[in-house]
Amino acid sequence: MVRPIRPFPRPIELFQPTTPLSSRNTFIGAVEIGTSKITVLVGEYTGKELAIIGCGECASRGVTKGVVADYKAATECTHSAIELAERDAGERIDCVFMAQSGGHLEGFYNEASVNVKAADNMIEKEDIRTVCELAKAKELPPGRMVVHHIRRPFRVDGRIVPTSPENLMGQKLEVGYWTVHGQEQRLADHIHVIRGFNLEVRELVLSSLASGYMVTSPEERQNGALVLDIGGGTTDYVLYRNGVAHTTGILPVGGAHVTSDLAVGLRLTEGQAEKLKLRHGRALMQTRERSEKVWLDGNFSIGDRQFPRQAIEQITAARAWETLEVVKKKLGPSFVSEMCASGVVLTGGGAKLPALAECASRVFGVPARLGEAPGWVADNLRDPGFHTALGLLYYGVNSQGERASAGRRRQGFLQSVTRLFA
């Protein structure tokens, strides 16, 4: 079969994982089931390199605030996006990395410490294994399952160790994990949508982690950064510190709520309000003259009418400011501006609202910018709306090496969820 010429860049060596997915080329699907749209990317993984070879998009149905509410509708549009992506790639997807969002996802921090056993105080693998298991041992309420155990840096006698503490000298070894967990039924719904297409879900990845890896560099994560992924129905956030995800969270508010505010405030349909938001919405007010008007369509057709530009900006700015304030409040003492030197990075379709970066800078008191994909990403995938799907490929495959020791347990998790709600 002759494969079509694609406007994607040549394969770029993104990583060299220690545990390849397969000895042959593997075609990986990145699936994001969002409130506004379904995005699917196909990557060809050779064991050393990953090339993006296909893309499919479809308007989302049956998804509310990142959660599948109508299984049949969500399945139909997701399958359409998968088919488009496979047709674009000219290949069948072998396995899927899947983004997770929604208000049912929560996180907590738990840490543990052990006394080093060796007489000479040299830390051994057994000490590391023991302290990690203790830190992850906190039980969840019934009906909840772990999505991520995110390890923070080890500490040896109180000092941070950025890498493995094995063979270091010390008396006390400490480590903590930020654990993200969700409702079993909600997780099962997402997995079943994909399995209905006879595809294997290889990994569930928090949306904020996927997009965060795409729009920040290792140096920025080391220096501290807050990534806000603003979608249609949710705002996912991840706070990085010392190079790793320190805190994550999800706010069930997104760009669609700005549209809804305009529809109610100006007595418009959702479609009309969306037009005004895209053309004239701002996260900070700019217009000073109350008399300044803008046209709904501008073609002077029947039903076309004018609206005060100032009123539009007031509504969109109020929602943007409130959303950012709520995120800051949810972060609480975890967010310290002095430990967020890289500032706020905005991504997702809702991040394109004009002046949102300036608004975020005022709310959080640190620099803010609109996130950009790395230079190797083709022009047709550089829009912020693709950052999560791109990050799914990058984050998912990169994490295989780190999670190799937990691989069998992880696969068992997905299988158990599927069996439980089949």
Side-chain angles (χ1 to χ4, degrees):
M1 176 176 61
V2 178
R3 295 176 61 179
I5 298 176
R6 299 291 304 133
F8 296 104
R10 64 179 177 82
I12 301 295
E13 188 171 327
L14 300 181
F15 41 76
Q16 295 179 341
T18 58
T19 55
L21 293 172
S22 172
S23 59
R24 66 175 181 83
N25 285 13
T26 305
F27 298 97
I28 305 167
V31 179
E32 180 190 9
I33 302 178
T35 303
S36 301
K37 68 172 182 175
I38 313 294
T39 303
V40 179
L41 296 181
V42 181
E44 183 176 6
Y45 178 60
T46 67
K48 294 182 179 180
E49 298 176 334
L50 177 70
I52 304 170
I53 61 173
C55 174
E57 291 184 279
C58 185
S60 183
R61 302 189 308 277
V63 182
T64 303
K65 298 182 179 180
V67 173
V68 173
D70 184 332
Y71 177 79
K72 182 178 179 181
T75 299
E76 288 176 352
C77 56
T78 301
H79 288 183
S80 295
I82 291 173
E83 287 177 342
L84 288 172
E86 289 185 329
R87 191 179 308 134
D88 196 33
E91 298 288 350
R92 169 76 174 169
I93 294 173
D94 294 313
C95 62
V96 165
F97 291 118
M98 192 176 188
Q100 289 296 293
S101 184
H104 70 100
L105 295 170
E106 299 176 2
F108 65 85
Y109 178 68
N110 192 50
E111 64 179 34
S113 63
V114 296
N115 294 321
V116 178
K117 294 181 179 180
D120 60 359
N121 290 331
M122 181 178 287
I123 298 171
E124 300 176 350
K125 288 184 178 179
E126 182 63 21
D127 297 313
I128 298 173
R129 185 190 65 81
T130 300
V131 74
C132 288
E133 288 185 353
L134 288 173
K136 293 188 290 186
K138 186 174 180 178
E139 292 190 6
L140 298 177
R144 308 289 295 183
M145 296 193 81
V146 172
V147 177
H148 286 289
H149 280 305
I150 304 171
R151 180 175 60 79
R152 294 183 184 174
F154 290 97
R155 297 191 302 275
V156 177
D157 293 341
R159 73 181 189 275
I160 292 178
V161 178
T163 56
S164 172
E166 187 177 1
N167 297 328
L168 294 180
M169 307 296 291
Q171 296 181 340
K172 185 178 183 181
L173 178 63
E174 301 171 275
V175 74
Y177 281 85
W178 177 260
T179 298
V180 179
H181 57 100
Q183 291 181 12
E184 292 175 339
Q185 181 65 66
R186 299 299 189 190
L187 298 173
D189 288 342
H190 277 73
I191 293 171
H192 285 160
V193 168
I194 303 301
R195 288 179 65 88
F197 208 63
N198 294 320
L199 287 173
E200 172 198 355
V201 178
R202 177 65 59 90
E203 190 76 41
L204 302 178
V205 181
L206 200 62
S207 294
S208 59
L209 293 180
S211 56
Y213 261 70
M214 214 65 223
V215 298
T216 59
S217 66
E219 292 76 18
E220 288 174 326
R221 294 193 288 272
Q222 184 65 40
N223 294 331
L226 173 62
V227 177
L228 303 181
D229 185 349
I230 305 173
T234 61
T235 295
D236 299 64
Y237 59 89
V238 54
L239 177 66
Y240 290 102
R241 189 181 296 174
N242 296 318
V244 298
H246 181 274
T247 305
T248 65
I250 299 166
L251 186 68
V253 176
H257 295 81
V258 179
T259 303
S260 179
D261 289 349
L262 281 172
V264 173
L266 301 179
R267 298 181 181 179
L268 297 167
T269 65
E270 292 285 327
Q272 292 171 331
E274 182 71 11
K275 286 182 183 179
L276 284 181
K277 181 186 75 173
L278 294 176
R279 293 174 183 172
H280 309 291
R282 285 182 58 85
L284 291 174
M285 288 191 60
Q286 184 180 58
T287 304
R288 302 300 180 189
E289 296 294 331
R290 292 187 177 183
S291 59
E292 186 175 349
K293 301 290 186 68
V294 296
W295 287 94
L296 176 61
D297 296 315
N299 56 10
F300 308 107
S301 61
I302 297 176
D304 195 11
R305 51 191 171 125
Q306 290 182 309
F307 295 92
R309 183 190 291 270
Q310 191 180 79
I312 298 170
E313 292 181 0
Q314 281 179 330
I315 293 170
T316 57
R319 172 63 78 171
W321 187 277
E322 180 187 32
T323 300
L324 297 173
E325 284 279 12
V326 172
V327 171
K328 184 178 180 181
K329 183 177 180 180
K330 286 174 71 70
L331 283 167
S334 295
F335 180 81
V336 180
S337 58
E338 292 78 11
M339 301 183 72
C340 193
S342 300
V344 177
V345 184
L346 303 166
T347 184
K352 294 184 287 185
L353 184 68
L356 188 60
E358 184 181 350
C359 182
S361 181
R362 294 186 186 184
V363 171
F364 291 97
V366 295
R369 63 177 176 85
L370 181 64
E372 295 182 356
W376 55 263
V377 176
D379 290 343
N380 59 333
L381 295 179
R382 298 192 66 82
D383 185 272
F386 285 109
H387 289 169
T388 297
L390 287 166
L392 283 173
L393 296 176
Y394 180 93
Y395 179 89
V397 179
N398 259 300
S399 65
Q400 293 305 297
E402 181 179 339
R403 301 178 188 182
S405 61
R408 288 187 296 274
R409 181 169 65 254
R410 191 61 169 172
Q411 189 66 14
F413 154 71
L414 294 174
Q415 290 173 352
S416 67
V417 173
T418 303
R419 287 197 300 268
L420 187 61
F421 296 105

